[in-house]
Amino acid sequence: VDMSADPFGKMLQSCAGELLGEKATEQVKRLFYNIGKWIYLIDAVDDFDKDKRKNTFNVFVNLYGDVKDKETLIKEKSFELQSFFGQILSDINTLSNEINYNFNSDLIKNILCDGLWLQTKNILENKKCANSMKY
């Protein structure tokens, strides 16, 4: 799982360096890395059924090929999924608290510490994301 999520994490980590330049401390880079891993893995859980049906690579389809659908994945592999996301979200929480923000620190921490946990909970409870805006 980590090996599959690593390239996306490294890509976001690289973006932090490019976007923030000298303000991209090691904590900021590690934060971006973990956010990248979270994005990759939460998308893999959310797309489990579609990727399995289309025979598209998905780390969780690859790991748990015997699981028939996302609902079953969430029920049968709950402990493993909670472990994967728990570690990443714990790292995000720790890192976000180590960073000094120049503005909107409460908003940023709310999104990183509460919003990602809530979205993970929703996905792992097989709830759909609500699209409040349509373009």
Side-chain angles (χ1 to χ4, degrees):
V1 172
D2 278 338
M3 286 176 54
S4 292
D6 184 66
F8 199 82
K10 285 181 178 174
M11 181 185 71
L12 243 58
Q13 183 177 39
S14 175
C15 289
E18 291 295 319
L19 294 171
L20 301 174
E22 62 192 41
K23 292 183 180 184
T25 64
E26 284 308 308
Q27 286 92 350
V28 170
K29 289 177 182 177
R30 287 185 13 235
L31 176 65
F32 272 66
Y33 174 78
N34 280 284
I35 292 170
K37 284 177 53 176
W38 180 85
I39 291 168
Y40 181 86
L41 294 175
I42 204 70
D43 182 63
V45 171
D46 200 37
D47 290 348
F48 185 87
D49 290 337
K50 177 183 63 114
D51 292 341
K52 186 165 181 128
R53 184 177 63 252
K54 291 184 174 184
N55 201 26
T56 305
F57 179 80
N58 178 310
V59 64
F60 295 116
V61 172
N62 193 49
L63 185 61
Y64 305 119
D66 58 324
V67 174
K68 71 175 185 160
D69 58 22
K70 178 181 166 186
E71 185 177 347
T72 307
L73 171 74
I74 291 167
K75 284 180 186 172
E76 292 182 1
K77 305 301 180 184
S78 176
F79 180 79
E80 291 95 332
L81 294 172
Q82 298 277 347
S83 294
F84 295 137
F85 288 105
Q87 182 60 55
I88 293 168
L89 292 169
S90 176
D91 289 347
I92 289 171
N93 187 42
T94 299
L95 291 163
S96 71
N97 287 320
E98 292 176 358
I99 296 169
N100 293 320
Y101 301 96
N102 293 326
F103 60 92
N104 291 333
S105 63
D106 290 340
L107 176 62
I108 294 167
K109 287 180 181 180
N110 182 277
I111 291 167
L112 294 176
C113 298
D114 298 333
L116 295 182
W117 278 100
L118 179 61
Q119 191 59 35
T120 301
K121 180 180 178 287
N122 287 341
I123 297 293
L124 295 182
E125 290 177 357
N126 209 14
K127 294 180 182 174
K128 292 286 183 196
C129 296
N131 290 334
S132 58
M133 294 183 164
K134 301 218 180 208
Y135 297 100

